[in-house]
Amino acid sequence: MAFLDDFGKKLSTAADLAVDKAKDLAEIGKLKLDIAAEEKEINNLYIQIGKSVYFLEKENPDSVYAAECQNIGERLQRVAELQEEAEREKL
């Protein structure tokens, strides 16, 4: 019987360790999700700053961002052309 008691204690200890490890992994997973959510929000804020700079500087030929603003303007024009073409294709 001592063998069974010893085995039962070891099994119980192993189960407790497994539960603790599962809790740790769950907490780490939650932290990683929280980190990812914060990083996504940071990236969204960077995008908003970039858009603000674009709209403030797009008409300023002396801007340090003049080349980038021109590139964005050209790409916006290309998007508009592609959208018009898509609309014509629908008809």
Side-chain angles (χ1 to χ4, degrees), residues 3-71:
F3 169 76
L4 289 178
D5 288 340
D6 189 42
F7 180 73
K9 288 179 186 177
K10 287 181 181 179
L11 187 58
S12 178
T13 300
D16 290 343
L17 289 173
V19 168
D20 289 344
K21 188 65 171 174
K23 286 179 184 177
D24 290 346
L25 290 174
E27 183 63 26
I28 290 169
K30 182 185 178 314
L31 290 171
K32 286 183 178 183
L33 287 174
D34 291 345
I35 290 167
E38 290 299 325
E39 288 174 338
K40 183 177 179 181
E41 188 57 34
I42 289 167
N43 284 328
N44 288 338
L45 292 168
Y46 282 145
I47 289 167
Q48 289 304 317
I49 290 170
K51 285 180 181 179
S52 296
V53 169
Y54 169 74
F55 286 109
L56 289 171
E57 298 292 325
K58 70 180 183 174
E59 303 296 328
N60 180 2
D62 298 325
S63 171
V64 297
Y65 304 108
E68 290 83 359
C69 288
Q70 181 178 351
N71 192 341

Side-chain angles (χ1 to χ4, degrees), residues 60-91:
N60 180 2
D62 298 325
S63 171
V64 297
Y65 304 108
E68 290 83 359
C69 288
Q70 181 178 351
N71 192 341
I72 290 170
E74 291 169 358
R75 289 174 183 276
L76 287 170
Q77 180 60 38
R78 179 69 177 138
V79 167
E81 292 167 1
L82 291 169
Q83 286 173 332
E84 288 176 11
E85 185 177 334
E87 284 298 316
R88 285 192 302 271
E89 293 293 325
K90 276 185 10 182
L91 300 175

